[in-house]
Amino acid sequence: MTISEAELDRPRKPSLFGERQRFMLLLILPAAFGLAFFQILPILTGANASFRDWSLHDPKMTWVGLKHYFYVLSDDGFLKVVLPNTLVFMAVSVAVSLLLGLCLAAILNRKFAGRAVLQTILLLPLMVAPVVAAIMIRWMFNDQFGVVNAALEAVGLSGQPWLAQRWSAFAVILMADIWLWTPWFALLLLAGLQSLPREPFEAAAIDGASPWRVFRFLTLPMLRPVMVVCIAIRAIDAFRTFDIVWTISAGGPARSTELFSIYAYNEAFQAMNFARGSAAAMIGAAIIVVLAMVIFRVLNRWVEVSK
Amino acid sequence: MAEVVLKGVGKCYGPVVAVRDFNLAIADQEFVALVGPSGCGKSTTLRMVAGLEEITSGVVAIGGRVVNDLPPKDRDIAMVFQNYALYQHMSVRDNLAFGLRNRKVPESEIAAQILRAAKMLGIEPLLERHPRQLSGGQQQRVALGRCLVRNPKVFLFDEPLSNLDAQLRSQMRLELKELRKRVPTTSIYVTHDQVEAMTLGERIVVMKDGLVQQVGSPLDLYRRPANRFVAGFIGSPAMNFIDARVAAAGDDVMIATEGLSLRLTDKVAATLRKHAGNAVVMGVRPQHVMLDGAGGGNLLRFQATLSTSEQLGDQQLLDARLGGTLLRVSGIDAALKLADGTMLTLAMAPENMHFFDAVSGAALG
């Protein structure tokens, strides 16, 4: 086949709906439908509702402007309990599971007998549904029938009403979350460790670096990109945690362990004020967008430095 | 400064033998090149000296001390890796300082050592940069610097120039040679490039399939290869090999193959006489085959058909058909015009001919 020069010179017109494009559109159609109907539409509905008088038992749907936003932002429960709870939960859960995950990954990265077995056992929490784990833990810490109190009393200590006090309940929730997510960190960090080049470590062995210096000056900096991705994903994910808290304490006692998502849920479906719940959700969304941007900015610089 | 001794060193990976019975005594301040095709065990041998691979059998001693069970850091060695193995997230200065800081050397001395090494390698302006901001040649200089600052007993080089492009490689080769004059530390240099081995090594160890084929000076290996493998591996373009048969008739010893029958004289005849009737492999380097040998009474002349010629500008390479084999001839005047198919009269001196056992490949003589 010969192509004339004029043909070659002519800029190719990108046809918007060529056969290839039609096929690609067809492929993303189901996903686009799902996204539109189950994500975008509800978000828009919620956003719309947050500006209206929209209680579930009497949905007048009249426009009230920012009234619900002012309510949420001046609610002591939101400002002094929910917001600090959420941020502390996010920071502690991510930090501790990152640290534990890193230790586990470092251990699993060494060759030793029974490593495969240990690896499987350590990864078990990943296979447990969060709600199931939460129910288990709720029972473990039950003040009358719980195994924790039974164990304490067996050694002569007095049992505690774990879930009836704010900070102990919060600690139990945190523990559950950390237990659930540490293996996830361990798995990803282990993959990261195993993909590191071998030579710098050999050079360090010849250079006489102690294991701690190797970890501190080689492993950690080289692992930073993986850690950054893990932290970013988990931090955003932790912000919207619902299932564990709902199952273990349902935000109690006296709404003292409520996280932001529980707060929004309670406002919308317990207090039956759909509008107020939506407003809380919108505020949460705004917070998490800003937070995500900050996290990415900070972590990006961190990776940049480590390069 | 130390001598390195390997005695009966072997390495197995399960049933796979990587290195077999490696014996070598490297003198203090000597530069030894290990050369061979990939998978011949040269790197494994080096890594056993470094302590990065466990030694399956035998003994490695550095400076009179057996180091078999010593970790790399206690062997007082420094190593340059093929891909530089720099600490990517540290500045060049910190890369150089890392090994000294590990050993708790005072910072003032570290600074002095870094300055000394950086000056020697011309990397002073790069000290505050990061490795990723450097070219391959600069990175390899930094890797060299990391070795120099430590003043180790032995330098180990694991194909240090293989990641560089051809031009940079020959330049770095020269720099290594220059550096060597100022820092005459005992060195083991692994390479698959026979040119590097020939130019850098004071002694060369040729390896193949985990076995040492020959140890000797560059000229030794070139002139007196111990077997067909060494003969073919050392020298470029590679030696020609021709399957032939030795025949003795009275006082004459003849070497014959399809399209060729040469009467051998003197020493060569004497050495080959006892192989009369046997199949041998005759080897001759392309540089040692001459066109229409002008002078020299003792030259052996024979006819061959020109198959192809390759113009290199400064010379021509010829491929001449001799019976069933192609004979490569180099160093032909570039201006000479030769049509393919021309019948050439070629000549070679008997002392430039090599003979190998057809089965074992060992040099005859």
Side-chain angles (χ1 to χ4, degrees):
Chain A
M1 197 171 70
T2 55
I3 302 167
S4 73
E5 265 187 41
E7 252 177 287
L8 279 174
D9 285 344
R10 196 170 51 205
R12 229 164 242 269
K13 222 194 283 170
S15 100
L16 253 180
F17 293 103
E19 197 186 341
R20 209 178 134 75
Q21 281 73 14
R22 276 203 300 270
F23 182 62
M24 293 196 306
L25 281 175
L26 192 72
L27 287 182
I28 62 168
L29 209 58
F33 254 113
L35 196 68
F37 279 98
F38 297 106
Q39 302 245 11
I40 296 173
L41 211 60
I43 287 173
L44 291 178
T45 312
N48 180 31
S50 70
F51 297 109
R52 290 173 191 275
D53 188 351
W54 196 326
S55 68
L56 285 176
H57 47 79
D58 181 18
K60 290 199 270 295
M61 300 191 200
T62 46
W63 185 267
V64 294
L66 293 171
K67 182 183 149 200
H68 299 304
Y69 287 85
F70 287 128
Y71 172 84
V72 172
L73 288 175
S74 58
D75 180 5
D76 266 3
F78 184 77
L79 289 178
K80 295 189 177 148
V81 178
V82 173
L83 219 48
N85 272 358
T86 309
L87 295 176
V88 168
F89 179 83
M90 187 169 98
V92 174
S93 167
V94 172
V96 176
S97 24
L98 173 74
L99 213 65
L100 292 178
L102 196 59
C103 294
L104 283 181
I107 293 169
L108 289 174
N109 197 33
R110 292 165 178 274
K111 286 197 177 100
F112 57 88
R115 182 174 71 154
V117 177
L118 185 64
Q119 195 166 339
T120 313
I121 293 173
L122 288 175
L123 294 184
L124 273 178
L126 269 186
M127 300 167 209
V128 179
V131 174
V132 174
I135 292 172
M136 244 158 55
I137 283 171
R138 193 179 66 199
W139 278 108
M140 280 168 67
F141 286 92
N142 184 292
D143 50 1
Q144 290 177 53
F145 316 110
V147 67
V148 174
N149 275 355
L152 285 177
E153 277 154 21
V155 295
L157 295 168
S158 56
Q160 296 290 318
W162 299 101
L163 299 175
Q165 302 161 353
R166 178 181 182 186
W167 292 112
S168 61
F170 197 66
V172 168
I173 292 167
L174 261 175
M175 196 204 71
D177 199 56
I178 290 165
W179 181 78
L180 269 172
W181 285 101
T182 296
W184 184 85
F185 275 99
L187 195 67
L188 290 185
L189 293 173
L190 180 63
L193 279 177
Q194 287 174 345
S195 68
L196 294 183
R198 198 182 51 173
E199 288 84 359
F201 293 96
E202 291 183 340
I206 290 171
D207 262 348
S210 61
W212 166 247
R213 277 179 67 86
V214 170
F215 185 76
R216 165 76 185 76
F217 291 104
L218 293 189
T219 315
L220 219 45
M222 286 163 89
L223 210 54
R224 264 184 206 173
V226 180
M227 283 163 54
V228 162
V229 173
C230 288
I231 293 172
I233 293 176
R234 261 309 289 158
I236 293 166
D237 201 36
F239 189 84
R240 58 191 184 102
T241 305
F242 181 86
D243 43 9
I244 295 181
V245 188
W246 186 251
T247 317
I248 292 179
S249 73
R255 303 187 70 170
S256 65
T257 58
E258 261 182 21
L259 299 190
F260 139 78
S261 58
I262 306 273
Y263 178 84
Y265 178 86
N266 277 339
E267 288 300 332
F269 300 108
Q270 303 292 97
M272 300 292 245
N273 195 333
F274 189 47
R276 201 177 281 167
S278 293
M282 295 307 287
I283 291 169
I287 293 174
I288 201 155
V289 165
V290 173
L291 215 60
M293 278 182 346
V294 172
I295 289 173
F296 268 115
R297 188 73 54 85
V298 170
L299 295 183
N300 256 339
R301 193 168 314 146
W302 202 38
V303 172
E304 216 36 60
V305 169
S306 80
K307 265 186 190 163
Chain B
M1 304 286 154
E3 74 280 354
V4 178
V5 177
L6 293 97
K7 234 182 253 163
V9 173
K11 174 76 190 178
C12 304
Y13 297 101
V16 182
V17 181
V19 178
R20 220 183 277 265
D21 193 31
F22 190 106
N23 291 292
L24 186 70
I26 301 167
D28 185 22
Q29 304 203 352
E30 192 181 13
F31 194 111
V32 167
L34 301 188
V35 66
S38 43
C40 72
K42 56 191 190 299
S43 277
T44 309
T45 307
L46 189 80
R47 291 169 61 83
M48 283 193 281
V49 176
L52 297 173
E53 298 280 351
E54 267 184 49
I55 300 162
T56 313
S57 58
V59 170
V60 174
I62 297 174
R65 185 167 60 139
V66 174
V67 296
N68 279 40
D69 298 320
L70 284 185
K73 68 183 170 78
D74 296 330
R75 299 189 180 196
D76 204 1
I77 45 149
M79 185 156 164
V80 180
F81 294 81
Q82 178 176 350
N83 55 8
Y84 328 127
L86 296 177
Y87 311 128
Q88 290 295 328
H89 47 276
M90 292 185 202
S91 67
V92 169
R93 184 185 295 282
D94 288 337
N95 263 279
L96 298 185
F98 192 65
L100 297 174
R101 288 194 181 130
N102 290 336
R103 290 177 164 77
K104 305 212 161 42
V105 176
E107 283 293 324
S108 60
E109 201 196 318
I110 292 178
Q113 287 289 357
I114 289 176
L115 198 66
R116 183 184 66 94
K119 271 192 180 149
M120 221 182 276
L121 296 160
I123 55 171
E124 260 182 294
L126 311 177
L127 282 176
E128 307 312 324
R129 297 219 204 146
H130 276 70
R132 74 197 142 101
Q133 299 168 309
L134 306 180
S135 70
Q138 289 171 329
Q139 290 197 43
Q140 199 52 292
R141 268 188 214 119
V142 174
L144 279 171
R146 196 166 57 180
C147 296
L148 286 178
V149 292
R150 294 233 330 266
N151 288 317
K153 281 188 193 149
V154 183
F155 284 148
L156 304 175
F157 299 91
D158 192 3
E159 309 227 13
L161 307 185
S162 296
N163 277 16
L164 306 177
D165 62 59
Q167 207 181 346
L168 200 54
R169 203 180 309 156
S170 65
Q171 184 197 332
M172 284 296 288
R173 212 166 61 207
L174 273 177
E175 281 183 30
L176 275 177
K177 241 181 136 80
E178 283 299 315
L179 190 66
R180 170 101 191 111
K181 288 179 193 158
R182 282 182 284 177
V183 189
T185 308
T186 314
S187 302
I188 308 178
Y189 188 103
V190 163
T191 176
H192 63 265
D193 180 355
Q194 56 100 13
V195 178
E196 264 172 45
M198 293 287 280
T199 50
L200 288 168
E202 286 158 17
R203 235 173 1 136
I204 299 178
V205 179
V206 183
M207 292 183 75
K208 183 197 166 204
D209 300 336
L211 274 172
V212 173
Q213 304 292 309
Q214 190 174 3
V215 182
S217 73
L219 219 51
D220 253 359
L221 298 191
Y222 187 81
R223 290 193 177 153
R224 285 177 293 280
N227 58 39
R228 185 179 162 165
F229 174 78
V230 176
F233 194 80
I234 300 289
S236 165
M239 187 185 274
N240 294 299
F241 294 108
I242 303 161
D243 292 319
R245 191 162 283 281
V246 183
D251 285 347
D252 290 348
V253 175
M254 306 287 293
I255 179 106
T257 181
E258 195 190 338
L260 178 80
S261 179
L262 300 172
R263 195 164 63 85
L264 300 173
T265 49
D266 312 334
K267 275 201 315 219
V268 189
T271 47
L272 277 189
R273 181 176 292 279
K274 55 182 173 287
H275 299 285
N278 290 350
V280 296
V281 174
M282 186 180 92
V284 61
R285 296 193 184 279
Q287 296 86 341
H288 292 149
V289 184
M290 286 162 283
L291 193 58
D292 222 348
N298 65 340
L299 290 183
L300 298 170
R301 290 189 170 74
F302 58 96
Q303 304 265 307
T305 323
L306 178 62
S307 174
T308 26
S309 57
E310 292 170 285
Q311 181 61 260
L312 297 181
D314 61 328
Q315 57 158 308
Q316 289 187 72
L317 295 181
L318 305 183
D319 273 315
R321 184 161 291 284
L322 183 74
T325 46
L326 273 180
L327 190 72
R328 176 153 276 210
V329 184
S330 74
I332 303 300
D333 182 5
L336 201 61
K337 282 204 163 49
L338 292 166
D340 292 353
T342 314
M343 186 62 86
L344 306 170
T345 303
L346 300 173
M348 55 195 172
E351 65 266 25
N352 286 333
M353 292 163 69
H354 304 266
F355 296 94
F356 306 98
D357 189 286
V359 181
S360 71
L364 302 175

